[in-house]
Amino acid sequence: KAGVTQTPRYLIKTRGQQVTLSCSPISGHRSVSWYQQTPGQGLQFLFEYFSETQRNKGNFPGRFSGRQFSNSRSEMNVSTLELGDSALYLCASSRDGSSGNTIYFGEGSWLTVV
Amino acid sequence: KQEVTQIPAALSVPEGENLVLNCSFTDSAIYNLQWFRQDPGKGLTSLLLIQSSQREQTSGRLNASLDKSSGRSTLYIAASQPGDSATYLCAARNSGNTPLVFGKGTRLSVIA
């Protein structure tokens, strides 16, 4: 079956712009989580959505937002981009987000802010 | 607040060697701990999941152990191969629906 799909894979944006990243979870998975990965900070949790509701949120500024649609697809948006937002953004899905479920990651969206 | 540390940041070994990767966590009240593998430019692949009630899990040449009292987990790789070269990350979860807290990973190079 198809894995977690993230689009776009690579993008370059200018400071001050905004960006939207998309994630399609594995069919039947209702939990989608987003992580930011940078060389300095490693993997940091952004937020998790389950059944269109944000269930958990990490310590990121309000410029980072997300949503989940009724088909479980999720988008995250970053407004007023800063150079420090350059990172690999990873999406992960699981059946219901509980600890017993295996979590599957997409290949990520590489964002470069110039 | 849970913090996860992985030392060393990088490790290079000759092919065929058995090796151990280390992971330490500050809050021993974890729910479970997972080990992942990440190839360059790729997402993460789950390797092993150890529940708090378990001491170890095995999959093929991989064996992960968990010692909550000391706040440590290890990933043992037997008979390493060049294809094992990747970054290995561990992640702790403190309760059923809380997010994973990741270490920064150990970059493993297996030299043929």
Side-chain angles (χ1 to χ4, degrees), chain A residues 30-103:
Chain A
R30 294 162 63 193
S31 168
V32 174
S33 299
W34 289 90
Y35 291 83
Q36 180 196 66
Q37 186 176 31
T38 59
Q41 298 298 317
L43 268 153
Q44 293 187 288
F45 173 74
L46 282 157
F47 25 67
E48 181 209 358
Y49 287 87
F50 178 76
S51 293
E52 302 180 66
T53 300
Q54 188 179 83
R55 186 157 69 177
N56 285 299
K57 188 177 189 307
N59 295 323
F60 278 81
R63 299 185 297 108
F64 292 80
S65 63
R67 58 178 175 169
Q68 186 179 33
F69 302 95
S70 59
N71 62 358
S72 293
R73 190 177 70 84
S74 177
E75 289 182 346
M76 67 162 283
N77 182 276
V78 187
S79 63
T80 318
L81 283 165
E82 301 176 359
L83 295 179
D85 297 333
S86 295
L88 175 64
Y89 290 87
L90 290 164
C91 166
S93 78
S94 65
R95 196 164 296 281
D96 63 12
S98 69
S99 63
N101 295 156
T102 299
I103 187 169

Side-chain angles (χ1 to χ4, degrees), chain B residues 65-78:
Chain B
S65 69
L66 175 64
D67 184 343
K68 290 194 301 178
S69 62
S70 67
R72 297 181 65 181
S73 177
T74 61
L75 179 66
Y76 173 83
I77 302 177

Side-chain angles (χ1 to χ4, degrees), chain A residues 9-10 35 37 39-45 48 55-56 59 88 90 96-108 110, chain B residues 1 31-32 34 36 38 40-47 49 51 87 89 91 93 95-105:
Chain A
R9 288 294 320 279
Y10 305 92
Y35 291 83
Q37 186 176 31
Q41 298 298 317
L43 268 153
Q44 293 187 288
F45 173 74
E48 181 209 358
R55 186 157 69 177
N56 285 299
N59 295 323
L88 175 64
L90 290 164
D96 63 12
S98 69
S99 63
N101 295 156
T102 299
I103 187 169
Y104 297 86
F105 280 81
E107 297 207 333
W110 285 95
Chain B
K1 177 188 166 189
Y31 201 81
N32 61 37
Q34 285 188 256
F36 294 87
Q38 185 175 30
K42 303 289 188 180
L44 279 66
T45 301
S46 179
L47 297 173
L49 167 65
Q51 300 292 353
T87 296
L89 299 110
R93 191 193 293 269
S95 68
N97 287 324
T98 57
L100 294 169
V101 177
F102 282 86
K104 293 186 178 181

Side-chain angles (χ1 to χ4, degrees), chain B residues 3-106:
Chain B
E3 293 182 2
V4 178
T5 303
Q6 293 183 251
I7 296 174
L11 179 65
S12 184
V13 300
E15 182 178 5
E17 191 163 296
N18 302 325
L19 62 103
V20 174
L21 304 180
N22 297 300
C23 171
S24 60
F25 45 92
T26 55
D27 186 350
S28 61
I30 66 170
Y31 201 81
N32 61 37
L33 187 136
Q34 285 188 256
W35 283 91
F36 294 87
R37 167 185 173 139
Q38 185 175 30
D39 291 289
K42 303 289 188 180
L44 279 66
T45 301
S46 179
L47 297 173
L48 290 164
L49 167 65
I50 312 176
Q51 300 292 353
S52 61
S53 59
Q54 299 173 319
R55 296 296 298 271
E56 64 179 68
Q57 281 283 349
T58 298
S59 175
R61 294 183 294 109
L62 306 179
N63 176 279
S65 69
L66 175 64
D67 184 343
K68 290 194 301 178
S69 62
S70 67
R72 297 181 65 181
S73 177
T74 61
L75 179 66
Y76 173 83
I77 302 177
S80 58
Q81 305 169 356
D84 295 330
S85 298
T87 296
Y88 290 82
L89 299 110
C90 67
R93 191 193 293 269
N94 273 40
S95 68
N97 287 324
T98 57
L100 294 169
V101 177
F102 282 86
K104 293 186 178 181
T106 295

